[in-house]
């Protein structure tokens, strides 16, 4: 036993206060590793750490430590050996400041002596969130104002109440962001009371606006391959041109950068962008094709033959086509399968448009009627007699409330799709061959080589156009550019981009359609669109039907009960007999026999009814949709 061990005091962490710490640094690089293996750092809390951890970093580490934690005491140098320098610093003050700073960072507190700290202690004179006007909330309210939550199932009732709460919250928060929309719609202000805006030419508008807007007025002279069909992407950034003689071009019309340019050496009837600017569909002479933005052929859709018009439903990934034989087809471009196809029996289909509000396809016919179609309904859901002569053009505005039609009789009619009544009827100098609605409700109509724009023609009667422009050749296609005050016109001599103040929506939702999206954002948006894809079965004339509670009629309830009811045993009481034939065992045996016979009859009836339903369904599927008087001479199928 060491005789000096009595004088040594054992270290007790509970009684010892933290005073100081020692750090060792080697002064000789060659001997530093060996020296640090022997030396140790002794801390006042009683644990040890090898000195090699601090090799070559003691001086620098102390300077950083001083800067971060406000330590003003310089480390004192003691017991300098040949190859090791020992420093001591006061750890009590450092630990106090270190723990105080960590506590502030963790809880986000500021010193009350600073101006920010004083502001945090003041009382807010306007507590709570800012009130949003009710009319502004109603502007962004979608669906019914109140959802019918009267159901017999408590779980369904709670879900409906939660849905209603989410809808109100979404409308309120959207209305609150109205403050962030700094851009206003364009307009033309009259300086005089009797001034006519139709006399203002496009060159006058280009000279009056800023240089950025003036660059949006331009013309492309393409005399060899016209007339041209045009189409803009959903975000309004890219333009697709398709000449009837096979010329196809995709460009970024804002920067005038050409994406691709090809010639398919075949007649082009129509062109349409798909969900992104990476793919587009072309209706050619025999079949329809899908190309990418580099002009490479991706698919040949032989199911779509002799197509005259194309429409793409972005939320359902459906490509709708109308051909010269009067056949309407739907193709799901996400999986490449045909969803449905119906014969209209109304002749050539060269007038077609879609309702942006509910994805209903509207077709114009030579008899003056306009029909509206769903993918899963064989017959038209709506059939309207709009003109006494053939329909030349149909257009439906963004909200789906109004429809404009034009006929050979030189009339332009506005219809209310909520009541299917005619609101206004105008007589034009000539029959309008093309119609197009803008995002703000302006209507463009083409008559030969003249393009006229009308303002508020749906809500009130007008007497003259808003703007007018003359071209050098006949117009073949009209399309307003989304989020821009621009009207694209495809004609026999090429393409013209016209300025129309107040046509486009000034503020865009970057999560819905972003004109300035990057490659990564485009890829993420494409994945999100695929995840949010709406099935074709949900396309309905009433877009709000998915928010309503379906209630069966008494007849439907009785039919459902009859189909789902289970077999019930008869309440049969056998007649009592003599000579030991009415014992309990005999009675139960007779009851069981009667119930078994009743059960066999019930199963036979159910199977026969099911077979009859299947037979009728298969017969309806095999039966041709188009019938003719000469069908009775066809060879009958014995199968």
């Amino acid at each position: 036993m060491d005789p000096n061990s009595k004088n040594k005091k054992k270290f007790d962490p509970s009684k010892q206060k933290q005073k100081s710490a020692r750090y060792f640094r080697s002064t000789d690089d060659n001997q530093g590793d060996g020296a640090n293996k022997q030396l140790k750092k002794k801390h006042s809390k009683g644990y040890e750490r090898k000195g090699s951890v601090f090799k070559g970093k003691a001086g620098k580490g102390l300077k950083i430590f001083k800067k971060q934690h406000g330590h003003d005491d310089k480390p004192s140098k003691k017991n300098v050996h040949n190859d090791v320098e020992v420093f001591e610093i006061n750890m009590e003050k450092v630990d106090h400041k270190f723990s105080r700073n960590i506590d502030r960072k963790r809880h986000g507190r500021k010193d009350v002596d600073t101006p920010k700290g004083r502001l945090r202690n003041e009382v807010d004179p306007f507590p709570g969130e800012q009130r949003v006007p009710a009319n502004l909330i109603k502007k962004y309210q979608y669906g019914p104002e109140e959802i019918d939550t009267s159901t017999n199932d408590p779980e369904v009732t709670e879900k409906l109440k939660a849905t209603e709460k989410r809808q109100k919250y979404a409308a309120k928060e959207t209305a609150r962001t109205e403050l962030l929309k700094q851009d206003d719609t364009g307009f033309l202000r009259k300086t005089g009371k009797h001034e006519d805006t139709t006399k203002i030419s496009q060159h006058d508008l280009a000279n009056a606006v800023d240089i950025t807007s003036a660059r949006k007025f331009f013309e492309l002279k393409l005399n060899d391959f016209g007339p041209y069909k045009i189409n803009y992407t959903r975000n309004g950034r890219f333009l697709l041109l398709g000449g009837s003689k096979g010329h196809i071009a995709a460009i970024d019309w804002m920067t005038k950068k050409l994406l691709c340019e090809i010639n398919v050496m075949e007649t082009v009837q129509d062109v349409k962008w798909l969900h992104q600017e990476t793919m587009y569909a072309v209706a050619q002479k025999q079949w329809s094709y899908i190309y990418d933005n580099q002009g490479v052929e991706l698919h040949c859709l032989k199911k779509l033959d002799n197509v005259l018009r194309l429409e793409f439903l972005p939320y359902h990934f459906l490509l709708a086509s109308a051909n010269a034989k009067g056949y309407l087809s739907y193709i799901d471009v996400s999986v490449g399968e045909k969803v449905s196809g119906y014969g209209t029996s109304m002749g050539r289909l060269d007038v077609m448009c879609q309702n942006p509000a509910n994805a209903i396809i509207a077709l114009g016919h030579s008899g003056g009627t306009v029909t509206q179609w769903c993918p899963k309904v064989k017959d038209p859901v709506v059939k309207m007699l709009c003109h006494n002569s053939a329909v030349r053009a149909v257009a439906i505005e963004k909200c789906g409330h109004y429809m404009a039609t034009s006929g050979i009789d030189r009339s332009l009619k506005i219809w209310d799709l909520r009541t299917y009544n005619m609101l206004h009827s105008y007589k034009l100098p000539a029959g309008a061959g093309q119609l197009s609605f803008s995002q703000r409700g302006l209507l463009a109509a083409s008559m030969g080589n003249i393009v006229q724009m009308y303002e508020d023609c749906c809500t009130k009667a007008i007497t003259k156009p808003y703007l007018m422009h003359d071209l050098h050749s006949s117009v073949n296609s009209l399309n307003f550019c989304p989020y821009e005050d621009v009207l694209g016109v495809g004609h026999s001599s090429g393409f013209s981009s016209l300025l129309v103040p107040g046509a486009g929506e000034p503020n865009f939702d970057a999560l819905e359609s972003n004109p300035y999206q990057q490659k990564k954002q485009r890829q993420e948006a494409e994945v999100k669109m695929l995840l949010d894809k709406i099935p074709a079965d949900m396309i309905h004339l009433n877009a709000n039907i998915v928010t309503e509670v379906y209630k069966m009629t008494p007849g439907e309830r009785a039919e459902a009960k009859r189909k789902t009811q289970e077999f019930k045993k008869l309440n049969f009481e056998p007649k009592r007999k003599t000579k030991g034939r009415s014992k309990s065992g005999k009675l139960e045996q007779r009851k069981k026999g009667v119930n078994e016979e009743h059960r066999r009859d019930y199963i036979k009836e159910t199977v026969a009814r099911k077979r009859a339903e299947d037979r009728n369904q298969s017969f309806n599927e095999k039966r041709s949709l188009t019938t003719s008087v000469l069908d009775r001479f066809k060879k009958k199928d014995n199968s």
Side-chain angles (χ1 to χ4, degrees):
M1 186 174 181
D2 190 0
N4 298 326
S5 60
K6 294 182 179 180
N7 299 329
K8 292 183 179 180
K9 295 182 179 180
K10 283 189 177 183
F11 176 74
D12 189 359
S14 62
K15 297 181 180 180
Q16 186 75 8
K17 291 185 178 180
Q18 183 177 342
K19 292 294 183 182
S20 62
R22 284 194 175 189
Y23 294 89
F24 297 87
R25 184 182 66 180
S26 175
T27 57
D28 188 358
D29 294 339
N30 298 328
Q31 301 178 0
D33 292 338
N36 285 331
K37 288 181 180 179
Q38 298 177 1
L39 297 176
K40 296 180 180 179
K41 169 200 163 186
K42 294 183 179 180
H43 196 275
S44 57
K45 285 188 176 181
Y47 64 87
E48 296 181 352
R49 182 179 296 177
K50 291 185 178 181
S52 59
V53 178
F54 304 97
K55 176 188 173 183
K57 297 182 180 180
K60 185 177 179 181
L62 290 175
K63 291 180 182 178
I64 298 175
F65 202 78
K66 172 184 174 183
K67 183 177 180 181
Q68 290 182 350
H69 303 293
H71 180 61
D72 299 330
D73 299 337
K74 293 183 179 180
S76 59
K77 188 183 298 186
K78 295 182 180 181
N79 303 328
V80 179
H81 302 284
N82 293 332
D83 55 351
V84 176
E85 292 181 357
V86 182
F87 294 87
E88 284 191 1
I89 61 173
N90 188 357
M91 297 295 294
E92 189 172 329
K93 183 177 181 181
V94 172
D95 285 351
H96 175 67
K97 290 188 176 182
F98 179 75
S99 60
R100 185 178 176 186
N101 289 338
I102 289 297
D103 186 62
R104 289 177 189 166
K105 290 181 180 179
R106 183 179 302 167
H107 300 285
R109 296 201 302 265
K110 303 288 184 181
D111 289 335
V112 293
D113 297 335
T114 62
K116 290 184 179 180
R118 288 193 295 270
L119 287 175
R120 293 177 69 90
N121 294 333
E122 293 182 1
V123 180
D124 187 5
F126 305 101
E129 60 181 14
Q130 184 181 2
R131 294 185 60 185
V132 183
N135 57 348
L136 196 59
I137 296 177
K138 190 176 181 180
K139 176 182 176 182
Y140 295 99
Q141 187 83 27
Y142 65 93
E145 295 184 359
E146 293 185 1
I147 300 177
D148 186 9
T149 59
S150 56
T151 60
N152 297 328
D153 192 347
E155 185 177 354
V156 176
T157 303
E158 291 298 327
K159 288 183 179 180
L160 292 174
K161 289 182 179 179
T163 302
E164 182 180 9
K165 186 177 180 181
R166 285 195 301 267
Q167 288 183 0
K168 291 182 178 180
Y169 176 77
K172 184 178 180 180
E173 292 301 316
T174 307
R176 195 184 299 279
T177 59
E178 186 83 13
L179 182 65
L180 302 176
K181 298 181 179 180
Q182 300 295 332
D183 297 332
D184 297 328
T185 57
F187 58 90
L188 282 177
R189 180 178 296 171
K190 298 181 181 180
T191 56
K193 183 177 181 180
H194 301 286
E195 185 177 359
D196 190 3
T197 56
T198 58
K199 297 180 180 179
I200 301 176
S201 65
Q202 289 294 314
H203 294 281
D204 296 337
L205 287 174
N207 295 330
V209 298
D210 58 282
I211 188 172
T212 304
S213 301
R215 291 180 59 188
K216 298 175 183 177
F217 167 61
F218 63 92
E219 293 187 1
L220 299 177
K221 295 184 178 180
L222 307 169
N223 300 318
D224 298 332
F225 303 102
Y228 279 85
K229 289 286 185 179
I230 67 169
N231 184 238
Y232 287 99
T233 54
R234 294 177 61 222
N235 57 12
R237 185 62 186 266
F238 298 92
L239 171 67
L240 183 62
L241 302 172
S244 62
K245 297 179 181 179
H247 178 233
I248 299 173
I251 62 173
D252 184 349
W253 70 272
M254 291 187 179
T255 60
K256 312 301 186 294
K257 179 182 177 181
L258 182 65
L259 298 181
C260 70
E261 185 178 15
I262 59 174
N263 197 313
V264 296
M265 307 299 293
E266 197 178 17
T267 302
V268 173
Q269 301 290 353
D270 200 2
V271 292
K272 192 69 63 175
W273 287 107
L274 298 185
H275 59 284
Q276 293 282 2
E277 62 270 14
T278 55
M279 290 189 294
Y280 57 87
V282 180
Q284 296 177 202
K285 182 178 180 180
Q286 186 174 4
W287 297 316
S288 298
Y289 295 83
I290 294 179
Y291 299 90
D292 66 356
N293 57 2
Q294 301 301 318
V296 179
E297 180 183 331
L298 300 179
H299 302 284
C300 176
L301 304 177
K302 294 186 178 181
K303 297 178 182 178
L304 306 181
D305 59 333
N306 300 322
V307 173
L308 300 178
R309 290 291 179 268
L310 291 173
E311 283 292 339
F312 182 70
L313 310 179
Y315 299 103
H316 308 79
F317 281 81
L318 293 180
L319 180 63
S321 62
N323 65 4
K325 301 176 182 178
Y327 197 78
L328 176 65
S329 302
Y330 290 88
I331 293 288
D332 190 340
V333 298
S334 63
V335 294
E337 294 182 355
K338 185 176 180 180
V339 176
S340 60
Y342 310 111
T344 60
S345 302
M346 294 184 181
R348 181 184 177 91
L349 301 178
D350 57 350
V351 178
M352 180 182 185
C353 78
Q354 68 164 304
N355 189 339
N358 53 15
I360 294 291
I361 295 296
L363 300 175
H365 306 283
S366 58
T369 59
V370 174
T371 56
Q372 299 184 20
W373 298 79
C374 289
K376 293 300 181 180
V377 181
K378 294 182 180 180
D379 298 323
V381 293
V382 175
K383 190 173 182 180
M384 303 170 57
L385 180 62
C386 298
H387 297 270
N388 295 326
S389 58
V391 178
R392 295 196 62 189
V394 178
I396 301 177
E397 57 104 22
K398 179 182 177 182
C399 298
H401 296 163
Y402 304 104
M403 179 178 68
T405 60
S406 64
I408 299 179
D409 55 356
R410 299 189 298 113
S411 62
L412 174 64
K413 296 183 180 181
I414 308 298
W415 302 83
D416 190 344
L417 293 181
R418 294 165 291 186
T419 59
Y420 300 103
N421 294 328
M422 187 181 67
L423 300 178
H424 307 287
S425 180
Y426 306 101
K427 214 67 175 175
L428 301 178
Q434 301 292 332
L435 295 174
S436 179
F437 272 103
S438 73
Q439 290 180 319
R440 302 292 296 181
L442 271 70
L443 177 63
S446 65
M447 294 150 285
N449 64 331
I450 299 175
V451 179
Q452 293 183 351
M453 283 75 78
Y454 304 95
E455 186 181 21
D456 298 333
C457 61
C458 299
T459 56
K460 60 183 180 181
I462 58 174
T463 57
K464 58 183 179 179
Y466 174 59
L467 285 175
M468 188 169 61
H469 183 71
D470 295 342
L471 297 166
H472 300 291
S473 58
S474 59
V475 178
N476 192 43
S477 180
L478 287 177
N479 197 353
F480 277 97
C481 181
Y483 308 106
E484 294 288 346
D485 293 343
V486 171
L487 172 65
V489 182
H491 46 84
S492 301
S493 300
F495 170 78
S496 298
S497 179
L498 309 181
L499 298 178
V500 184
E505 185 69 35
N507 304 284
F508 61 88
D509 186 0
L511 299 177
E512 175 69 19
S513 55
N514 186 4
Y516 309 102
Q517 66 183 359
Q518 301 173 355
K519 181 179 179 181
K520 187 66 175 178
Q521 292 175 327
R522 188 194 71 230
Q523 294 173 350
E524 294 291 338
E526 186 172 10
V527 173
K528 187 177 183 299
M529 289 175 66
L530 286 169
L531 293 176
D532 296 340
K533 173 186 169 184
I534 303 175
D537 301 341
M538 297 183 67
I539 297 178
H540 197 272
L541 192 64
N542 181 14
N544 298 325
I545 195 171
V546 294
T547 63
E548 298 175 357
V549 180
Y550 176 69
K551 295 182 178 180
M552 292 190 299
T553 60
E556 293 176 344
R557 193 179 295 109
E559 182 68 17
K561 185 178 180 180
R562 183 185 65 81
K563 289 183 177 180
T564 58
Q565 67 181 355
E566 297 180 357
F567 170 74
K568 296 182 179 179
K569 294 183 179 180
L570 293 176
N571 190 12
F572 173 71
E573 189 66 30
K575 186 178 179 180
R576 299 188 66 84
K577 297 181 179 181
T578 58
K579 297 183 181 180
R581 290 179 295 176
S582 296
K583 294 181 180 180
S584 59
K586 294 287 185 180
L587 293 177
E588 289 298 328
Q589 187 177 4
R590 286 159 61 188
K591 284 184 181 179
K592 186 176 180 181
V594 172
N595 284 322
E596 285 292 334
E597 185 179 359
H598 176 65
R599 182 172 175 273
R600 284 195 298 269
D601 295 341
Y602 176 79
I603 292 175
K604 288 180 181 179
E605 182 183 354
T606 304
V607 171
R609 184 171 61 250
K610 191 174 187 330
R611 286 179 179 177
E613 292 177 356
D614 295 342
R615 194 182 304 112
N616 294 334
Q617 184 178 358
S618 62
F619 176 76
N620 293 333
E621 291 178 356
K622 290 181 179 180
R623 188 176 61 181
S624 175
L625 295 175
T626 58
T627 58
S628 175
V629 181
L630 302 178
D631 288 346
R632 64 178 181 271
F633 299 108
K634 291 182 179 180
K635 186 177 180 180
K636 294 184 179 180
D637 190 4
N638 296 327
S639 60

